[in-house]
Amino acid sequence: MEQFIVSARKYRPGTFESVVGQEHVTQTLKNAIRNNHLAQAFLFCGPRGVGKTTCARILAKTINCQNLKETIEPCNECDSCKAFNQSSSFNIYELDAASNNSVEDIRALVEQVRYAPQGAKYKIYIIDEVHMLSTSAFNAFLKTLEEPPPYAIFILATTERHKILPTILSRCQIFDFNRITIPAMVAHLQSIAGKEKVQAEEEALHVIAEKADGALRDALSIFDQMVSFSGESLSYADVIKNLNILDYEYYFKTVDLMNEEKSSELLLLMDEVMKKGFDPHLFLGGLCDHIRNLLVCKDERTKDLLEVAESAVQRYQEQASRLSAGYLFNALQVASNYDSSYKTARNQRLHVELALLKLAALRRALKLSTEPVIEQTTQKKTSLKSEREEKTPEPPPVAPTDKADNTNNTNTSAPRKIIPEAPKSSIPAIDLDFNPEVKPKEEEDNSPKAISLPDTQGTARVPLNAEMVVKIWMEFSDQMEKNGKMTVSSVMRAARLNLNDRILEAEVNGTHSEDLISEIKTDLMAFLNSRLEAEISGINAKAGTVESGSAKPYTYEEKLRHLMGKNPDLPEFMKNLGLELDY
């Protein structure tokens, strides 16, 4: 019975041309050999199974070939090539640093470097997994690596470059190996399947390539495993069954049910997936990948980012054409949020089912959020007004004198401030009739204020200019005062505003006032943009010296300074009474 050889060894590349997916490395090495510019040390680094050790062996074989071809490939006919193919070459040494990582092992290697090659031009030392060497071994290797004999070449290979000492890295030419792409891996698997006379479906090879995660050696190992199960015919169904991969048909069906808002059928589909032995987290993660693929299909420029079989691309495009990009983006955000919090959930099945129910209701939620706000009719406004008038007690009748008439005219012409209520938002509404240049009197502040106003969504927006910005700013200040934030209101009233190309600059008194404005910046900016036709892009608060003007003092320090400004003898008076000037 003939001994079986795994595909990773049987079809291991023997020339630079047969190396898969590392053309940037092989072409550089071939040019170095052609121009006789070989370095004294090479470092091959990259993920597992991408051809680092293979390229090291091909390089060692090629530079000692006695009949080198014009394409800079070994001839496989000279004594050096035959000895290499039979693993009996005295000029090529391979050392596994994972099991030979001590100082004694490196000293033995250094002793061998002293002897010249036998029947060849170079003596090559291949050290695999070089990052496993101890620090002492690295230090013992430094001098030889920096100044080797002219016939000695060192080729180091590692998967963890960051563990190698910088002094070693500076003495080597470094080559970074890439992960093997899925198309290149599928093409290589197809060629091997043809040599092995295996009928393999393209979708099956795509699943194997995706499972390998960029490592060609892993892909070949999975290929051998699948061939052992299915024989000479390798189908998509056999591959997903053996690799415990959920069929993408479930994901297409899930998105269709989400779009049709069929929550009950989504739960039944989830139950069917679990009865087949699949983990709910696997299903949720696969759904995120599927929605991502649908988003990629929305644009022709990103369609090439799809890493699926050609037969599946058309299905992705067909389903993506029925869904909007905004819907897919929100669905991906919901699914990824539930995916990231899966491990912290106590009932993980319920956690995934909640995610599916939320996705089923997503279209309805987006529709409600984008519906325009319907303005109240005149009849409804009139009825609401009459209700308010009924609840408000009528003032006593006033004699029809000239003085009374003048008083009434004054009261009606004065601006009436109304404090808004926004039950769905923490941002207050604005009264467009408010005039920031008219300062309220202290007597008026103590009078009762009305606290009813329609929602801000039904109020017209105003143009973006300095006057309107100041007006809305002062309205927000009034709201802060009514909410009990006297200090914030005082700081806002004393601020000097400047509108500079959609950037609102506010100069305030001191760093403390600057911090207060920074704390409310988010709500303040949202408040301003909710009322302006063109939104401002930022609010910059900076500390400076601003005259308080008519701003009222609220804190103890402000009140004390205010009194001292009017009464210069106040400090002496307080000192006589034994009071401290704490400001």
Side-chain angles (χ1 to χ4, degrees):
M1 179 177 171
E2 185 179 356
Q3 184 179 3
F4 174 73
I5 302 176
V6 296
S7 298
R9 291 181 56 195
K10 184 177 181 180
Y11 296 102
R12 191 167 196 165
T15 61
F16 286 122
E17 292 296 333
S18 58
V19 176
V20 180
Q22 308 297 343
E23 289 78 9
H24 65 291
V25 175
T26 57
Q27 187 61 40
T28 304
L29 295 176
K30 288 169 67 175
N31 291 340
I33 296 173
R34 180 185 290 111
N35 300 326
N36 197 22
H37 283 175
L38 285 173
Q40 61 192 18
F42 298 90
L43 176 62
F44 294 165
C45 51
R48 70 181 191 283
V50 295
K52 300 184 296 297
T53 306
T54 298
C55 284
R57 291 179 178 177
I58 295 174
L59 176 61
K61 178 182 177 181
T62 304
I63 59 180
N64 272 341
C65 180
Q66 298 171 356
N67 300 317
L68 200 62
K69 295 180 180 180
E70 294 181 359
T71 57
I72 316 299
E73 298 287 359
C75 65
N76 290 322
E77 297 177 357
C78 64
D79 295 338
S80 177
C81 291
K82 289 180 180 180
F84 179 85
N85 293 335
Q86 297 172 3
S87 300
S88 60
S89 176
F90 292 101
N91 300 313
I92 299 175
Y93 296 89
E94 281 197 46
L95 178 67
D96 180 21
S99 55
N100 302 279
N101 54 8
S102 63
V103 180
E104 289 74 15
D105 296 322
I106 296 300
R107 286 175 179 171
L109 185 144
V110 171
E111 288 295 328
Q112 293 180 5
V113 175
R114 296 182 180 181
Y115 302 101
Q118 300 178 7
K121 186 177 181 181
Y122 294 101
K123 207 171 187 180
I124 300 100
Y125 296 88
I126 302 174
I127 305 178
D128 204 2
E129 302 297 334
V130 69
H131 66 274
M132 298 293 289
L133 290 177
S134 63
T135 305
S136 301
F138 271 127
N139 293 330
F141 188 44
L142 277 175
K143 190 63 178 178
T144 303
L145 189 65
E146 183 177 13
E147 297 178 358
Y151 52 78
I153 293 179
F154 297 94
I155 306 176
L156 316 179
T158 179
T159 56
E160 301 183 34
R161 171 181 170 181
H162 60 279
K163 291 185 178 180
I164 301 178
L165 297 179
T167 50
I168 296 290
L169 296 176
S170 63
R171 290 166 169 80
C172 303
Q173 279 190 4
I174 302 174
F175 291 86
D176 290 309
F177 283 66
N178 300 329
R179 296 171 68 253
I180 310 299
T181 61
I182 290 181
M185 206 178 296
V186 170
H188 188 66
L189 291 175
Q190 285 176 336
S191 66
I192 293 178
K195 295 175 184 177
E196 294 291 328
K197 298 180 180 180
V198 175
Q199 299 293 330
E201 296 179 1
E202 183 183 358
E203 291 184 354
L205 297 180
H206 257 279
V207 173
I208 293 175
E210 291 176 12
K211 190 73 173 179
D213 193 26
L216 186 58
R217 183 172 61 234
D218 293 0
L220 294 174
S221 299
I222 298 173
F223 176 79
D224 290 342
Q225 179 183 346
M226 296 299 103
V227 171
S228 300
F229 171 79
S230 59
E232 296 181 354
S233 179
L234 191 60
S235 65
Y236 171 78
D238 292 338
V239 171
I240 63 173
K241 181 179 179 180
N242 279 269
L243 295 181
N244 195 34
I245 296 175
L246 189 60
D247 190 359
Y248 57 73
E249 285 289 341
Y250 283 97
Y251 300 123
F252 281 109
K253 195 178 301 183
T254 300
V255 174
D256 287 338
L257 294 176
M258 286 164 42
N259 188 34
E260 297 168 4
E261 301 183 4
K262 297 181 179 179
S263 55
S264 300
E265 296 186 20
L266 274 175
L267 297 180
L268 293 175
L269 183 65
M270 174 67 191
D271 183 67
E272 181 182 347
V273 169
M274 293 190 64
K275 285 181 178 179
K276 288 191 173 184
F278 290 98
D279 185 60
H281 198 194
L282 175 68
F283 173 72
L284 192 57
L287 181 60
C288 292
D289 295 336
H290 183 82
I291 299 175
R292 175 260 180 195
N293 290 339
L294 293 176
L295 272 171
V296 166
C297 287
K298 297 296 290 183
D299 195 333
E300 287 292 331
R301 295 173 296 178
T302 58
K303 189 179 66 175
D304 296 337
L305 298 178
L306 274 179
E307 295 181 343
V308 297
E310 289 294 332
S311 57
V313 173
Q314 186 175 359
R315 291 201 59 188
Y316 276 101
Q317 289 179 326
E318 180 183 354
Q319 189 174 58
S321 63
R322 303 196 301 266
L323 304 170
S324 65
Y327 174 78
L328 291 174
F329 178 78
N330 283 278
L332 180 59
Q333 189 174 26
V334 171
S336 60
N337 288 340
Y338 275 88
D339 181 43
S340 60
S341 59
Y342 177 84
K343 293 184 178 180
T344 60
R346 294 183 59 186
N347 190 337
Q348 295 179 335
R349 172 170 180 165
L350 177 60
H351 186 76
V352 179
E353 289 175 343
L354 285 174
L356 295 177
L357 291 175
K358 192 168 185 178
L359 290 170
L362 181 61
R363 179 171 293 281
R364 190 183 311 168
L366 293 175
K367 184 178 180 181
L368 291 175
S369 64
T370 56
E371 284 183 354
V373 178
I374 303 176
E375 296 184 357
Q376 295 177 341
T377 60
T378 308
Q379 183 179 1
K380 189 173 181 180
K381 290 182 179 179
T382 306
S383 62
L384 291 175
K385 184 178 180 181
S386 61
E387 290 179 3
R388 288 197 299 267
E389 290 177 352
E390 291 177 0
K391 294 180 181 180
T392 305
E394 295 184 0
V398 183
T401 60
D402 296 339
K403 185 176 182 180
D405 293 339
N406 295 335
T407 306
N408 293 335
N409 293 337
T410 306
N411 293 335
T412 55
S413 61
R416 181 186 181 186
K417 294 192 295 181
I418 303 177
I419 306 305
E421 285 186 351
K424 297 183 181 179
S425 175
S426 61
I427 302 174
I430 303 172
D431 182 14
L432 294 179
D433 296 331
F434 176 73
N435 187 359
E437 297 179 358
V438 180
K439 301 295 181 179
K441 299 180 180 179
E442 294 184 359
E443 293 78 5
E444 294 177 351
D445 291 339
N446 298 326
S447 61
K449 303 293 191 302
I451 51 174
S452 61
L453 194 72
D455 196 347
T456 56
Q457 295 180 352
T459 309
R461 293 175 178 263
V462 295
L464 174 62
N465 54 52
E467 181 181 356
M468 289 296 114
V469 170
V470 172
K471 179 178 180 180
I472 300 171
W473 176 282
M474 298 304 294
E475 178 64 22
F476 192 88
S477 172
D478 287 344
Q479 182 63 23
M480 292 295 102
E481 181 179 347
K482 293 303 177 183
N483 290 341
K485 299 182 179 180
M486 303 297 185
T487 306
V488 177
S489 177
S490 176
V491 169
M492 292 185 65
R493 288 184 179 279
R496 182 184 292 118
L497 303 180
N498 181 31
L499 184 61
N500 184 12
D501 192 20
R502 295 196 178 186
I503 299 294
L504 181 58
E505 298 177 352
E507 185 177 356
V508 295
N509 274 319
T511 56
H512 177 66
S513 300
E514 181 182 357
D515 294 338
L516 290 177
I517 296 297
S518 299
E519 290 177 1
I520 63 169
K521 182 186 294 184
T522 303
D523 289 341
L524 178 57
M525 185 172 173
F527 182 44
L528 289 167
N529 288 335
S530 67
R531 302 314 314 237
L532 295 170
E533 291 180 353
E535 297 184 352
I536 63 173
S537 56
I539 298 177
N540 294 335
K542 58 181 180 178
T545 303
V546 182
E547 295 181 0
S548 59
S550 61
K552 297 179 295 184
Y554 288 105
T555 64
Y556 173 79
E557 293 82 2
E558 291 177 353
K559 292 178 180 179
L560 186 58
R561 290 194 184 95
H562 181 70
L563 293 174
M564 289 173 59
K566 294 185 177 181
N567 303 284
D569 298 331
L570 179 62
E572 186 66 24
F573 178 72
M574 294 181 65
K575 184 177 180 182
N576 295 335
L577 295 177
L579 300 177
E580 295 182 359
L581 293 174
D582 187 10
Y583 67 93

